[in-house]
Amino acid sequence: MEIVAFILVLLVAIEHFYILGLEMFFSTSKTAQKTFGLDEAFLKQESVKTLMANQGLYNGFLAAGLLWGLFFANPVSAVSIQLFFLSCVIVAAVYGYFTASKQILLKQGLPAILAVISILMV
């Protein structure tokens, strides 16, 4: 189960680095339009590009925290760090569910929930 937990936490981190890239560097791309359900004209507005980049940065912090917990934290605090950052992802997904898109809970929240469950089962 330890390997499953590791893989799930790593997948959540990778997902959030992907979101960072999409929001910070490719916010006007066709992929971003499809992913976020927004049209090109809206995404090309400077204020929207700035907001997207800010959101991307926060996703990067979540991913970095998860990697810290997986690879760099001492063994005593590693699980607590992973659980903290996964909890942040879950809270953000629940908030997104109510404010932006119901799919956020499935796409971002579910992997984090599964990772938490797998960590707690170790």
Side-chain angles (χ1 to χ4, degrees):
M1 196 55 157
E2 203 169 314
I3 294 170
V4 171
F6 179 89
I7 291 169
L8 287 171
V9 173
L10 185 59
L11 286 174
V12 173
I14 291 168
E15 176 183 28
H16 285 273
F17 275 127
Y18 172 76
I19 295 168
L20 170 146
L22 201 56
E23 291 178 340
M24 290 190 79
F25 306 112
F26 302 104
S27 63
T28 59
S29 69
K30 295 287 183 198
T31 303
Q33 291 172 46
K34 182 179 175 187
T35 300
F36 304 123
L38 300 169
D39 65 33
E40 184 178 14
F42 179 76
L43 290 171
K44 285 192 173 185
Q45 296 176 57
E46 280 305 310
S47 60
V48 172
K49 286 167 61 174
T50 301
L51 290 171
M52 294 286 282
N54 189 38
Q55 281 183 220
L57 188 60
Y58 283 103
N59 278 289
F61 290 146
L62 292 172
L66 290 169
L67 293 182
W68 172 39
L70 281 176
F71 296 107
F72 304 109
N74 67 58
V76 174
S77 59
V79 169
S80 295
I81 291 167
Q82 292 172 43
L83 289 173
F84 171 77
F85 283 98
L86 289 167
S87 297
C88 290
V89 170
I90 293 166
V91 168
V94 169
Y95 184 80
Y97 172 85
F98 287 110
T99 61
S101 168
K102 306 286 187 227
Q103 298 234 340
I104 290 174
L105 189 58
L106 179 65
K107 292 178 180 177
Q108 292 178 30
L110 183 59
I113 291 166
L114 294 174
V116 166
I117 291 168
S118 66
I119 288 171
L120 295 176
M121 292 179 69
V122 171

